[in-house]
Amino acid sequence: MGDFANRVFAVVRQVPRGRVTTYGQVARLIGAPRAARYVGYALHANPEPGTDPGCIPCHRVVFKDGRMATGFAFGGPDEQRKMLAAEGIAFDEEGRVLLEAHLWDGRPAAGAGDDGAPLGPPADFDWEAELAD
């Protein structure tokens, strides 16, 4: 995989059980805030899906409104919902994740081997250039 995909996978590995993130949040955390769609492309090629330690839990990534990914590569949105429900994720009456209760704050899981600081782009990241029209 390329550098972009590897950065996506590194962030998604940090999403703890019982939490979700969005494609846009992952894109911002890797320093590519306009690349949410490409985060999805990378996850579609996930080489290690699953919930076991060391896997890349792409089922924990949802759309910004809490909807399941219609193109979830590993069984479809029903399978994604089933996997999230098994982790204690709650949904509204329309089947969207209750983000106010389950959205990950961007901090690595406890025991991840670092100081718990939020993930984010490098200190020299040029936000003006990235966000310019």
Side-chain angles (χ1 to χ4, degrees):
M1 293 270 134
D3 179 61
F4 182 89
N6 289 334
R7 289 185 292 143
V8 168
F9 299 154
V11 168
V12 174
R13 283 181 202 268
Q14 297 295 317
V15 182
R17 181 177 175 81
R19 295 286 176 198
V20 297
T21 188
T22 66
Y23 294 98
Q25 183 182 21
V26 172
R28 286 189 304 276
L29 289 170
I30 66 168
R34 292 185 169 193
R37 183 176 305 257
Y38 296 102
V39 168
Y41 294 153
L43 290 175
H44 192 75
N46 182 351
E48 303 172 54
T51 58
D52 295 331
C55 289
I56 302 165
C58 57
H59 66 284
R60 296 180 185 148
V61 184
V62 298
F63 290 120
K64 66 182 176 182
D65 65 356
R67 286 180 297 128
M68 304 298 105
T70 54
F72 182 66
F74 308 101
D78 291 336
E79 182 63 24
Q80 183 181 15
R81 181 185 169 119
K82 205 170 9 172
M83 292 173 79
L84 291 173
E87 294 185 4
I89 300 291
F91 303 88
D92 68 13
E93 55 280 343
E94 294 180 19
R96 296 176 299 205
V97 170
L98 295 174
L99 292 176
E100 61 276 2
H102 300 290
L103 187 64
W104 177 51
D105 65 4
R107 296 183 184 275
D114 65 22
D115 63 3
L119 298 173
D124 63 345
F125 185 75
D126 186 352
W127 283 103
E128 282 188 34
E130 184 65 33
L131 298 175
D133 285 334

